[in-house]
Amino acid sequence: MSSKRTHTAMERELARTLTTACETAKSEIVGFQWLTHDLDYDAFPRSLQVTWVFDTEARMNSALGSPDKARMLELTQAAFDEIGITVSNIAAHVAFRAEQRLAARPPDNGPVALDSSRQARGKRGQGH
């Protein structure tokens, strides 16, 4: 299988497992809106980063100060485990943002992640 095919297959599986994590978190974590991932295949899995996005800074901070943070790490780890991605420290592969911070980002800083209700485009910034 070619490198491009391998990457496409992995991307599809990663999107599937992260979508499951996202839908679970939406029903459990107040203020959580969506998540996205970014990776560089030349530095995989070290480069894999999952960003959990909240509607407001206040709700994000509340979640990060509660058991919800551990739950998000657990959901991310489960998504990775399901498709055989092994990392030594899941927290190093997870970031948290509020939508208002993303909205303030200049447009030339790369793609903005998509909401899970929209179709993802490209290999970077895929929303779930």
Side-chain angles (χ1 to χ4, degrees), residues 39-80:
L39 67 108
D40 174 0
Y41 283 105
D42 293 332
F44 181 80
R46 186 179 72 252
S47 67
L48 181 55
Q49 185 76 28
V50 176
T51 302
W52 292 74
V53 181
F54 286 79
D55 56 356
T56 66
E57 293 264 345
R59 285 186 170 169
M60 178 185 73
N61 291 333
S62 177
L64 295 179
S66 76
D68 290 340
K69 181 177 180 181
R71 180 66 173 141
M72 290 180 280
L73 295 174
E74 174 187 312
L75 289 167
T76 305
Q77 184 69 63
F80 287 12

